Structure formats: C-alpha cells, structure tokens
C-alpha cells in the first residue's frame, strides 16, 4: 500500500494507448489505438461522453480488473494487497478508480446516459454516498442478500465485527453478526476483525506508510569497531554514550581543576595543562616553571582515555558537556559518516586550556582565527579590546586571546599561589615580547578587565583527594618540564632521546627511578608485585650490583 492511487499503478510496456470503453451497451469495446495520451483522452471525452477524462494505466485493465461491464453482474476482484472477496477493501478501491480516471469522487463528472461511464456510476454510487473507509472505519459494505437489491453501506459498531464460521476465510463472504449472537471473531487490541480485514489496521498502516515516505532514509556508512573486544565485537567507544562515563569524566575534571585552586564553574582565567604536566602536582610545577621552560603551542595536548577510545581532553570535555548523546553523534565524534566534522574549539584561543571549550563544526573553529588576529592587532595598536567578539556564538574571548602563552601560564600560577596562600613566583619579562606590557599577575595592568578571579571562587585545598599518589617521574635531562605516567615510558625516553648522555649516567638515573617506582608498587599494589610482570622483572634486574647497560639494551625498549 503506497498511497491513495497505488492500486491504479499497473505496469505497462505497450507503446500504444488503446480505448476499452463500449460505444453502446452490449457492444464490444471500440479498441481504437492512439500513439499519444492526449489523443486518447480527447477520444474518450468526445466519443464516450466522459467529461474531464484523464488517462491512467488502469484504463487498459478495466476488463481484466473485474470492474462490472454492461450486461454483467458486479464482481469483487482479488487484488494484490487486499484480502479476497473483501467488500470493505473494494470500497477504497472504487474511490481509487475514480481518481485514476481523473474524475471527482462525488460522481459529478459521471454521465447519466447508458454509456460505460453511466454503468460505472451505477455500480460505484454505493461507495460515493457514504463516508470514506479510510476516515470512517466504522462503515463497511454489506453484500447482497439475494433479493436483487444492490449492496449498500451502513454504519456498525466496532464490537459487532464478525466473520462467517463456515467455509474458508478466502471463500466466505464477510457479513455483520448481531452483537448478542455467538460466533467466531478475533480480538485485535480494542477492535475486532471482519475476516482478514481490519479497518483500524487499514487506517494505521496507511498513515504509517504515508508518513514514512516523507521521511529521510537512515544513511549508510562504515563505523569504527572496537579493537579491544576481538571475541565480542562492538562499535568503538560505545561506553562513551552512558551516564557512568560522564560521571567518571566529571569527577576527573573536577579533581584536576581543584588541584589548580579553582572550581568547575571557573571561567575568569585559563587553566593550561599540556600532556607533559598531567602527572605532576601544580605546586611542584610552579617551583620549576620559568620563561625558559614554558610549554610551547606545539607541545602535545592533554589526552583522556575511557574504555577503548582515547581523545584529547578538550574534545572529551566538549563531548561530555551535554548529558545525552545519540549514536549518530558518537559516529560523527569518531569521524564516521557523511556529516560535517566537529571540533573542540578554544574560545580563548589557547590550545592547552581546559576551561573555555565549545563543541562545534570544524568550519566555525577555523573561522575563529580571524578573531585571534584581531585581538592581537588591537593590543599591538594599544586600542581598547572588547571582552567578547560579535562574530560567533558563543563569542570568542578577545581579552584572553590577546595574552601570549607565557602570560597565560604566569597568570595561572598567580591564581594558584593565591588559592594555596603561598608567595607567587616572579617570572621576568622575556626579551622577545611582542607587546609593550607584560602581564604576569592579577589584576592586569592594561584594560583587560575580563581576566579576573574572585577570592570566593578559589579552592585552598584539593576537594578531590587521591589515596594513591604516584611518584613524580620527571626527565632530568630535558630542558623543559617533561613528566611521565609510568616508569617504563621514562626509561624508554631516556634510552632513545638522550643518547648524547654517557651510558653510566643514564643507567644510574634509571636505577634511581626504578627504586621510586618499586616502592610505589609495594605500598599500593602489593598483590601485583610478582615476577610474572615484565616491569617487575626489570626492577629486580636493576637492583643487582652487576647490572650493565647491555642489560638495558636487551630490554628492546620502544621509542620514547
């Protein structure tokens, strides 16, 4: 069932259009053929007196479809999509035929003479005089009772639908049984069925299919599969859709900001955390920080891993900002499907910031660069810098964007010192500074009023205390602050990145780091300290007095 005229759409491959109407009653059809539809329509209108006739492929199938011809009794044909011998389904079919002939459903276009059009009106007027079955399911056609009277329509109550209990369903005529008379019937929800036809189902199916035709189809595209579940494959990052994943991220995010002395709602200043700083305490970083070892913008960004997927922390923050996400959103988040790519935009234009994040289209993220250049130009020209731009929504933070990376880090450590109530570390102005003023503390000397923090917002203590405190794994050979989460990663870094250092010094440093890591494992993971772990075997090997650099080479550490 595809629509009101679906029963008229007979496939034809004939190149000619033949008229099957009778010129006079009890005569054969004229069988005149035409090469154009226009000629056929004009012929039927003039020769057969059917005004307003419009061609349909059903015209050539009138005789085969079972419609009544002159001198024959009416028949109810079996059609695809309708139950056999079903008078109720022929009600809708009769209306469909009138649509196919280009006539009005009220019968006004039908002639009153003895032509085929008159016969068509005679045998279909029973359908036209009552409400449409599709809009009034409580009406059904009753078959002739043998008295010679034509079948008519009359309303019935839904609780008296019934079917004759003799003969097969396809060969018996549906009829109405009185509600008090016992007989076989089928309950369908709150309706009863008459034979295999249910008026309510007819309306529901018609409305559902009609609505479905107006909707877009689900797009087909490849999705990423999880690589950690070989025995039980599933879509990658499926756990990112659940509420537990959001709660876990919210706790991690709150703990990180609390370590830096600000709450989750803080937006006055930036909080910049590169990947190399992720495992270090902020107070330790403040003591080590200087203009010489300030992270650059090309340094690796902070990452976040949950389940079988790893992304940047900013992108994860943008994803979990919304409580509910759809599966199609997850596919787009992973870069699958024919959709516009989405980015985690930094409204402050500092790539290591984990505060001012917005999840938006990649094209909008790229367009924001114009605001960054405008903010820098205004500060260079010593003009008033507005707090926000008027080009994007949410707007870019122009005053934050005008700060250099070093200035943003200095202000961040000044806020941390104020929160922890310790003296702030003074950072000297670098020689190659692009602006006339150097901002390293609050309040700013220039008219940057949007960069501020209230004392009531600060968190003196860490609200999210952790029981398991990992040792600070810092590389002592790097000029910049570079920390690692595992001792194996730091070993590999020293082995591959600092080959200019003599082997004896590197071996001594690796043994020192091994002692720190071993004490940490014994204190917090005593049940995991066994020689079956490859890291544990290397720790025991480094404790031996006769250990040499050749033993480290035999480990075949991967590139660090």
């Amino acid at each position: 069932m595809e629509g009101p005229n679906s029963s008229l759409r007979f496939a034809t491959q004939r190149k000619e259009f033949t008229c099957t109407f009778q010129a006079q009653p009890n005569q054969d059809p004229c069988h005149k053929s035409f090469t154009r539809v226009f000629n056929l329509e004009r012929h039927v209108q003039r020769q057969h007196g059917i005004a307003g006739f419009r061609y349909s492929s059903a015209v050539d199938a009138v005789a085969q479809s079972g419609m009544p011809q002159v001198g024959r009794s009416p028949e109810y044909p079996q059609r695809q999509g309708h139950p056999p011998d079903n008078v109720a389904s022929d009600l809708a079919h009769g209306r469909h035929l009138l649509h196919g002939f280009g006539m009005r459903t009220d019968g006004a276009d039908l002639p009153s003479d003895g032509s085929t059009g008159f016969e068509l009106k005679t045998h279909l007027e029973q359908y036209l005089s009552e409400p449409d079955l599709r809009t009034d399911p409580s009406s059904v056609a009753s078959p002739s009772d043998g008295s010679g009277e034509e079948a008519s329509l009359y309303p019935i109550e839904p609780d008296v639908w019934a079917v004759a209990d003799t003969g097969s369903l396809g060969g018996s005529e549906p009829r109405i049984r009185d509600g008090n008379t016992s007989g076989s019937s089928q309950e369908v929800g709150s309706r009863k069925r008459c034979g295999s036809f249910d008026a309510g189902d007819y309306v529901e199916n018609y409305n559902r299919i009609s609505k479905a035709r107006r909707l877009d189809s689900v797009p087909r595209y490849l999705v990423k599969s999880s690589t950690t579940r070989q025995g039980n494959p599933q879509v990658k990052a499926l756990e990112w859709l659940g509420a537990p994943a959001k709660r876990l991220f919210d706790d991690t995010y709150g703990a990180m900001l609390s370590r830096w002395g600000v709450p989750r709602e803080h937006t006055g200043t930036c909080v910049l955390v590169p990947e190399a700083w992720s495992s270090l305490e902020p107070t330790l970083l403040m003591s080590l920080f200087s203009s010489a070892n300030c992270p650059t913008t090309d340094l690796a960004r902070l990452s976040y891993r949950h389940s079988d997927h790893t992304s940047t922390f900013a992108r994860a923050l943008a994803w979990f900002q919304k409580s509910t996400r759809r599966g199609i959103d997850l596919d787009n988040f992973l870069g699958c499907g024919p959709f516009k790519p989405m980015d985690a935009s930094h409204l402050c234009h500092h790539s290591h910031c984990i505060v001012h994040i917005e999840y938006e289209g990649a094209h909008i993220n790229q367009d924001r660069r114009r605001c960054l250049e405008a903010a820098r130009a205004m500060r260079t020209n010593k003009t008033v810098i507005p707090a926000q731009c008027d080009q994007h929504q949410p707007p870019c933070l122009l005053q934050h964007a005008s700060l250099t990376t070093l200035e943003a880090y200095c202000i961040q450590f000044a806020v941390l010192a104020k929160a922890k109530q310790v003296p702030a570390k003074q950072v000297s102005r670098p020689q190659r500074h692009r602006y006339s003023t150097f901002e390293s503390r609050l309040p700013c000397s220039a008219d940057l009023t949007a960069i501020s923090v209230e004392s009531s917002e600060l968190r003196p203590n860490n609200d999210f205390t952790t029981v398991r405190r990992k040792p600070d794994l810092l590389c002592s050979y790097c000029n910049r602050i570079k920390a690692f989460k595992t001792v194996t990663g730091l070993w590999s870094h020293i082995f591959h990145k600092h080959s200019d250092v003599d082997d004896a010094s590197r071996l001594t440093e690796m043994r020192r780091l091994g002692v720190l890591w071993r004490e940490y494992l014994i204190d917090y993971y005593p049940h995991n300290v066994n020689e079956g772990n490859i890291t544990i075997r290397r720790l025991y090997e480094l404790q031996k007095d006769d250990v040499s650099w050749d033993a480290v080479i035999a480990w075949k550490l991967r590139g660090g």
Side-chain angles (χ1 to χ4, degrees), residues 37-291:
V37 175
F38 171 76
N39 295 335
L40 173 62
E41 294 175 345
R42 185 174 59 180
H43 164 79
V44 174
Q45 293 173 8
R46 294 181 178 179
Q47 299 298 326
H48 299 285
I50 303 179
F53 169 79
R54 293 295 180 266
Y55 170 76
S56 171
S57 56
V59 173
D60 297 331
V62 169
Q64 294 84 355
S65 64
M67 287 304 300
Q69 303 294 318
V70 175
R72 300 180 184 178
S73 61
E75 299 175 358
Y76 296 99
Q78 298 185 16
R79 298 176 188 84
Q80 182 179 3
H82 296 276
D85 296 334
N86 197 318
V87 182
S89 63
D90 281 337
L91 168 61
H93 184 70
R95 297 182 183 274
H96 294 168
L97 284 177
L98 292 182
H99 283 291
F101 287 150
M103 304 174 188
R104 294 168 52 182
T105 56
D106 57 4
D109 293 340
L110 293 175
S112 58
D113 54 14
S115 62
T116 304
F118 174 74
E119 291 293 328
L120 182 62
K121 179 178 180 179
T122 301
H123 294 289
L124 292 181
E125 60 183 1
Q126 55 178 327
Y127 303 135
L128 305 176
S129 60
E130 297 294 336
D132 197 332
L133 174 66
R134 288 175 284 120
T135 59
D136 188 4
S138 63
S139 299
V140 66
S142 65
S144 176
D145 57 1
S147 60
E149 298 181 358
E150 295 294 333
S152 61
L153 274 176
Y154 58 95
I156 61 171
E157 295 298 329
D159 59 339
V160 295
W161 286 100
V163 62
D165 47 2
T166 58
S168 62
L169 189 61
S172 62
E173 291 184 339
R175 66 169 181 258
I176 303 303
R177 186 185 301 275
D178 183 73
N180 297 327
T181 305
S182 61
S184 61
S185 62
Q186 288 181 292
E187 292 281 351
V188 182
S190 62
R191 302 183 302 270
K192 294 187 178 181
R193 300 182 62 89
C194 176
S196 61
F197 177 80
D198 184 275
D201 286 345
Y202 180 90
V203 176
E204 291 178 4
N205 291 338
Y206 174 78
N207 294 335
R208 177 176 59 84
I209 296 176
S210 299
K211 180 180 179 180
R213 283 186 164 274
R214 298 191 297 268
L215 301 177
D216 295 333
S217 300
V218 177
R220 295 184 178 182
Y221 51 85
L222 297 177
V223 297
K224 295 182 179 179
S225 300
S226 176
T227 58
T228 60
R229 292 174 171 84
Q230 300 295 339
N232 188 17
Q234 69 177 29
V235 177
K236 186 177 183 179
L238 190 60
E239 287 79 2
W240 284 59
L241 291 173
K246 176 174 173 53
R247 288 195 298 267
L248 178 61
F249 178 85
D250 289 344
D251 293 343
T252 303
Y253 184 53
M256 184 173 297
L257 291 182
S258 181
R259 290 167 56 193
W260 286 96
V262 294
R264 286 198 54 182
E265 301 79 14
H266 173 73
T267 58
T269 61
C270 294
V271 177
L272 297 88
V273 184
E275 180 68 17
W277 287 14
S278 60
S279 61
L280 297 179
E281 281 297 316
T283 52
L284 175 61
L285 289 169
M286 183 169 58
S287 63
L288 299 175
F289 182 77
S290 65
S291 58

Side-chain angles (χ1 to χ4, degrees), residues 467-480:
V467 177
R468 295 172 293 185
R469 178 70 177 86
K470 289 185 178 181
D472 297 324
L473 301 177
L474 282 167
C475 179
S476 58
Y477 300 114
C478 289
N479 295 327
R480 301 186 184 276

Side-chain angles (χ1 to χ4, degrees), residues 268-443:
T269 61
C270 294
V271 177
L272 297 88
V273 184
E275 180 68 17
W277 287 14
S278 60
S279 61
L280 297 179
E281 281 297 316
T283 52
L284 175 61
L285 289 169
M286 183 169 58
S287 63
L288 299 175
F289 182 77
S290 65
S291 58
N293 59 19
C294 177
T296 57
T297 56
D298 59 345
L299 199 63
R301 301 183 184 184
L302 182 65
S303 62
Y304 179 78
R305 180 176 180 84
H306 177 67
S307 183
D308 55 351
H309 180 61
T310 303
S311 72
T312 62
F313 194 90
R315 191 169 176 83
L317 174 61
W319 171 261
F320 288 113
Q321 279 178 346
K322 191 173 181 180
S323 299
T324 57
R325 296 284 187 181
R326 302 169 300 176
I328 198 170
D329 296 328
L330 179 62
D331 295 336
N332 193 18
F333 179 74
L334 299 176
C336 304
F339 313 109
K340 291 182 179 180
M342 302 292 288
D343 281 351
S345 299
H346 293 78
L347 305 181
C348 60
H349 294 276
H350 292 286
S351 58
H352 291 148
C353 181
I354 58 173
V355 173
H356 309 109
I357 306 298
E358 179 66 22
Y359 193 56
E360 61 185 6
H363 63 288
I364 302 178
N365 186 23
Q366 295 299 320
D367 187 68
R368 290 182 182 271
R369 294 189 60 86
R370 298 186 295 111
C371 296
L372 173 61
E373 300 298 333
R376 291 175 175 176
M378 284 186 285
R379 186 176 177 187
T380 301
N381 298 329
K382 299 181 180 180
T383 59
V384 178
I385 305 175
Q388 300 176 345
C389 76
D390 57 358
Q391 302 295 321
H392 306 96
Q393 192 59 238
C396 297
L397 306 178
L398 298 182
Q399 294 186 10
H400 293 75
S402 65
L403 297 176
T404 63
T405 302
L406 177 60
E407 288 176 324
Y409 275 105
C410 290
I411 293 176
Q412 176 178 335
F413 284 117
V415 173
L416 175 64
K418 187 176 181 179
K420 303 300 181 182
Q421 299 178 359
V422 297
K425 185 176 182 178
Q426 300 296 327
V427 179
S428 59
R429 172 176 175 162
Q431 295 181 353
R432 297 181 179 180
H433 186 63
R434 66 174 70 185
Y435 303 122
S436 59
T437 59
F438 178 69
E439 310 296 339
S440 61
R441 64 185 68 184
L442 294 178

